[in-house]
Every structure is written in structure tokens, then in C-alpha cells.
Amino acid sequence: MKPRFISVEGLEGAGKTTQLQVVTDFVTAHYGPPRVTREPGGTPLAEDIRSVILSPRTEPMDAWTELLLVFAARKQHVATVIQPALASGQWVVSDRFTDATYAYQGGGRQLPWEHIQALEELVLDGFQPDLTLWLDCPAELGLQRARQRGALDRIELEDIAFFERCRKAYEKRAQAAPQRFVRIDASRSLEEVSAQVRQTLEQQL
């Protein structure tokens, strides 16, 4: 089978780390070990950009600066990690991809979606995941879980309204691409969410 690119999306506290392992185990069992990566980041240079984006700082970061940094990291990630892995026959599993930009910079920061789309076309030229698993849970629940993990990064420090806008943006993306997006109810127990993920992978792959 042609190697696939799978992204896992969701708000903070949705359980992406755990479900990424579920996806990785499934792909490994059926198609061989995938390249597991994340956004922003995935390469040494892109990880440096991630640190700039997420580290709390006294100087406020303009929303457009944030957006451009995200796409700069993504271009490096795609060019040096994702596309070479797929070309070599290896599956790729990523913690977030472009849908997160529509959610966080489009929904959360309220930047115009048409400008994000223009950047997406310029930088990625139509490249996108074959399958996106959206771990959906109420923003308040996700933040409660995130706070239990320890110190929050610059994005996690945003207010609840920010994350509610992000969630609505994810919903809009899912409605626009039903052939690629699958919503997973991440408000359920860990075991139930993992079962949903496995069932989805069996049906989709």
C-alpha cells in the first residue's frame, strides 16, 4: 500500500500524546514503523522556531509573526522530513499539521482564513494529510487536563474564549473535509478514546 500521512489534531489536554502512540502501534503492526513527528517542529531548525513560538516572553508576539513562523517551520518540516519519508515508502504520523493553523491562528487569533489559505497554497502546494484524527473535547476540560501536566507554554496561557474559538475552527475544518477528517470524542475515558481511534484506523486504512 502507498505510504500514508496521518495527522492527529486537538486542543491542549485532548490526549494527543497517548493517541499518537495508539496510531503508531497500529501502523507499525500493519505497515511497519512510521516516522513520528510533530508541529511546530520535527527538525532541528523547526524545533528552534517552535521554541520561539511557544516560549513565554515579555515582548508580545504579533499574530502575523506567529503565523509566518508556523509556516516557516512547516516548510522545513515537510521538505526535510515528511516528504522524504513518504518518498522512501515510510508512513508518517504527525502531532498536528496545517489544520492546527486554521484552528489557532485562524480561530484563536482570528486572522483571515483566506490569507492562511494563500500561505498554505504558496508553501505546501496542495500537500496535506491523507487522514486527520481530530480529538475533540470541550475547551474547559482540555485546559483542566493541561494544567495538571505542569507549566504552561505561551499558547496554553490564553483564556478560555481563545480555545473555544479554536475548537469551533476545528469543527469548521472537519465539516469542509469529511473525506479526510474523523472526529474522535476525546471527552471519554482513555480506553474508550483509544478504542475509537483503533476502530477508525481499521475502517479508514
Side-chain angles (χ1 to χ4, degrees):
M1 177 181 287
K2 176 185 175 183
R4 303 285 186 88
F5 173 26
I6 303 172
S7 63
V8 179
E9 297 281 355
L11 300 179
E12 280 68 16
K16 289 186 288 81
T17 300
T18 300
Q19 301 312 322
L20 274 165
Q21 188 60 55
V22 173
V23 175
T24 299
D25 291 345
F26 182 92
V27 172
T28 299
H30 292 80
Y31 310 106
R35 179 65 182 264
V36 182
T37 187
R38 69 176 182 176
E39 287 218 341
T43 81
L45 176 56
E47 289 290 331
D48 287 344
I49 299 174
R50 176 189 178 89
S51 179
V52 172
I53 294 171
L54 297 183
S55 297
R57 59 190 66 249
T58 55
E59 177 186 358
M61 182 179 294
D62 183 82
W64 284 99
T65 300
E66 183 179 277
L67 175 65
L68 293 170
L69 285 171
V70 166
F71 268 107
R74 179 166 298 133
K75 179 60 178 179
Q76 186 70 11
H77 188 205
V78 170
T80 64
V81 173
I82 298 178
Q83 288 182 330
L86 293 171
S88 72
Q90 186 177 25
W91 288 51
V92 177
V93 178
S94 181
D95 180 344
R96 296 200 172 117
F97 198 62
T98 308
D99 297 298
T101 304
Y102 284 92
Y104 284 78
Q105 284 73 48
R109 302 291 184 212
Q110 302 183 76
L111 294 178
W113 281 42
E114 60 268 26
H115 295 320
I116 297 175
Q117 184 177 16
L119 279 171
E120 180 184 13
E121 293 173 354
L122 176 67
V123 173
L124 300 181
D125 192 27
F127 182 75
Q128 63 181 5
D130 298 292
L131 174 65
T132 296
L133 303 179
W134 171 35
L135 303 177
D136 179 36
C137 72
E140 185 173 358
L141 174 59
L143 286 178
Q144 288 175 355
R145 292 171 175 173
R147 293 189 186 103
Q148 294 173 357
R149 298 194 304 242
L152 303 179
D153 63 34
R154 191 178 66 85
I155 302 295
E156 292 170 339
L157 289 169
E158 292 292 340
D159 60 24
I160 188 69
F162 174 90
F163 293 103
E164 288 174 344
R165 291 194 300 271
C166 292
R167 187 187 184 193
K168 289 180 179 178
Y170 269 129
E171 183 177 8
K172 183 178 177 180
R173 290 289 288 173
Q175 291 173 346
Q179 75 286 353
R180 174 173 66 86
F181 249 91
V182 177
R183 176 186 176 275
I184 304 294
D185 184 357
S187 66
R188 298 184 178 182
S189 70
L190 176 62
E191 293 75 14
E192 289 176 312
V193 176
S194 297
Q196 289 180 75
V197 169
R198 293 189 189 94
Q199 182 180 32
T200 297
L201 294 173
E202 290 170 356
Q203 293 173 343
Q204 297 290 326
L205 305 179

